[in-house]
Amino acid sequence: MNLDILQILFFFLDTIGLWLLFRMCGENKWWALVPLYRFYKLSQCAQKEENGRTFFVLYFFNYFFQIISSIIQNFFPQFNGMVYMLDVLSLLLGIGSFVYKVRIYIGMCDVFSVSKKWVALWIISTGLGALVFALKKAFVYTPSVKKSAASESGLVAQETKEGLSINIKKRTVGGLLNKRNLLKDIHLNIPKGRMVLLVGGSGAGKTTFINAITGFEKADAKILLDGKDVYKSFEDVKYDIGFVPQMDMIRYNDNVRKTVLDAASLRLPISISDKEKNEIVDGVLDEFGLKAVEDNMVGKLSGGQKKRESIAMEFVSNPSLFILDEPDSGLDGVLARELMEHLHRISREGKIVIVITHSPDRVLDLFDDVIVLAKDADRTGRLVFYGLVEEAKAFFDRDRMEEIVKVINQKEEGGLGMADELIVKYGEIRNGRK
Amino acid sequence: MAGNDVRHRGGFRQIPIYIGKFFRMFIFMDDWKVLPFSALIAALVSYAVGNTMFVTMEGTMKGSLALTCVLIWNGFFNSIQSICRERNVIKREHRSGMKIGAYLSSQIIYQAFLCLMQAVITLAVFYMAGMKRVSSGVVTPFFLVDLAITFFLISFSSDMLALMISAVSKTTTFAMTVMPFVLVFQLVFSGGVFALQGGASILTNFTIAKWGMCAICAICGYNSLPTFTVWNQLQNLKGYEYEGMYPVQMVVDNIERTGNVEKFCMEIASNNQVAQYASTPTNVLNVWSYLLDFAIVFSLLSLFFLSKIDKDKR
């Protein structure tokens, strides 16, 4: 009975404390009356929303198992054996939710710029912690300031029968509690035979963009490759897209020739005979300088050779859209240049070659166009620029791509934080052209 | 450019590609080493179990538990890393046209081959170690064939369980962390280590270990074997004195004098018979079907989990 009274007292203390705190950090104070969900709101105050979501889920299931356990004990005593299991589960979830709760409290100390020692008070009683933080005059709520993100450009890329037409409205992840935009408002046309550089700071959405245009991760978008809708006809179009991932996603314990041959068997139409397939594989191995090592194990190849093996696997089906995610990582300047020259030659065969690289300046002369992506103030990937390399230099008033990336990176990442204004500027220029 | 009329290799035709790949890895890389390892572990266990297996109830119970452990261990180690270690490669190939069903079917065929080899090796090692042979089989006319099928099914269903864990796991570290817990569950809830009661006894039905032991005990005729536990206890109690007399010694001497030791042990054993160890074709076939059901369910779950591979976060 005493315990029940104590629990009720703590509940009211939490409610009052959180009511005052929510008023301070701009949340709707009525949420303080809603058990459990108010902790999620507290995590938003503490700018620890992700931790708040995990806490919410863990705590919810903890409660759920406790309720089931209580029902079994009271109404189904014959299943009492299960109660122990449920209590153990509940304990595990309780430990997890406690850790996430502490993370939220630490976030609270951060946004109030006070010592982490105050976490102890929060642990003793959330209500007490909230009351002190809300009422103590020396404690000032100072969350990191959020800039407002650039508005949408209102542009739409014209749908074409040739080349790659990209119209991405948005690409979101998460559900009810954690919906988040990864990409937004990206519209462009890439004609055939172009070698395109894709740059952006880390987290700008380069790989998400690639996955969206290849149809691997669908966005709210319309992507046309030579007039074919990539999403609607993915099963057909996927064989026409070659994607070389950043990491060497190849089996090291298979030999070079067999790896390319198996890739050819998967990618080429069944109408191609074994003899023709072997000839194609021979040609590709020769073109990528792998003929001499065709009987070696992939794991025994050098870094450059592994990269070429990975590219050869995609090239074997002669795709018209060829995308490479950091193909030059781990390669020295000479090898990287050779590889890019090779890709340049491939683009001249009427293919679209899109390359992500973190060292673009050493091979910039090989690229025709550049796509610049950046995170806006809402941390959503946005298109800052698409056009000729020389136009990009003029637009950003910088000679080097690495300097351009610095200009668009947010300030907390060591950049100049100009992404939002440049997104608007680019949109205005393009709208003006229209 | 690929048109609508261009046909690519379907799932069924992709199976030989992957079977070829797995067997190349078996021959040229380290995968073949699971076979000598299974022989080594079988040799160690057969040495520890001794030659009472299939001779007495106690020896058979101990031996069948040890054998089941060896086979589960083999199955686990065959496949626990096989999918998660190449998860990125699978994801890439899936995007290039590989069918998950084809990949998994190839894995299952390859794993079945490994399990079959290991079952034969384990049987050979136990045979060489002097394991007693029962004169005939329960389902087939041959005891060794019945035992080989059982060994294969135990190993294969465990293999499929580990394959499912591998399909769920994003990293090899995670898979190797989960594996001991699953293994401990299999052994503790097998019912062979200690008797379980209440709700816990229901859980035994969900272990490969329990049904593995059932199959082995049924095939070797566990219920027709003698038990020497009580006899050995009586021998130890011969010195027990009651009102100046030695009643236990009198009983023991009487049984020995009349040459009824074996009859006595058989009578004691008749009280320890277990219905699930009945040496009937129906019972053995039922147990085999349970083991096969485990394998099928785990394979389907692997397929379900692996088909979500495109949703992997970076």
Side-chain angles (χ1 to χ4, degrees), chain B residues 51-69:
Chain B
N51 53 6
T52 54
M53 193 158 83
F54 306 159
V55 176
T56 64
M57 274 185 168
E58 308 80 67
T60 304
M61 181 62 90
K62 198 169 65 176
S64 62
L65 175 66
L67 254 173
T68 308
C69 291

Side-chain angles (χ1 to χ4, degrees), chain B residues 98-225:
Chain B
M98 178 260 265
K99 311 281 183 214
I100 294 292
Y103 173 82
L104 212 57
S105 304
S106 318
Q107 272 284 7
I108 291 168
I109 292 167
Y110 172 66
Q111 296 298 334
F113 162 78
L114 287 184
C115 292
L116 190 63
M117 289 293 108
Q118 286 171 329
V120 172
I121 288 168
T122 307
L123 193 62
V125 170
F126 270 76
Y127 186 69
M128 285 189 287
M131 173 187 76
K132 188 197 159 198
R133 282 175 63 182
V134 178
S135 55
S136 66
V138 177
V139 178
T140 71
F142 310 104
F143 167 69
L144 288 180
V145 173
D146 278 7
L147 214 51
I149 293 170
T150 304
F151 284 10
F152 167 74
L153 287 172
I154 298 170
S155 202
F156 185 58
S157 49
S158 313
D159 193 307
M160 291 300 103
L161 171 57
L163 195 73
M164 184 194 76
I165 296 169
S166 195
V168 177
S169 308
K170 304 275 191 296
T171 61
T172 51
T173 314
F174 180 81
M176 295 306 279
T177 311
V178 169
M179 191 187 74
F181 290 101
V182 181
L183 201 58
V184 166
F185 174 82
Q186 287 289 332
L187 302 184
V188 170
F189 287 92
S190 66
V193 184
F194 43 81
L196 299 165
Q197 287 166 342
S201 68
I202 298 168
L203 284 177
T204 61
N205 294 326
F206 298 101
T207 64
I208 294 163
K210 178 196 169 165
W211 299 112
M213 283 179 68
C214 278
I216 294 172
C217 287
I219 287 166
C220 73
Y222 175 90
N223 286 346
S224 61
L225 295 174

Side-chain angles (χ1 to χ4, degrees), chain B residues 268-284:
Chain B
I268 297 290
S270 66
N271 296 316
N272 287 339
Q273 287 176 358
V274 180
Q276 284 171 330
Y277 298 168
S279 298
T280 60
T282 316
N283 184 41
V284 175

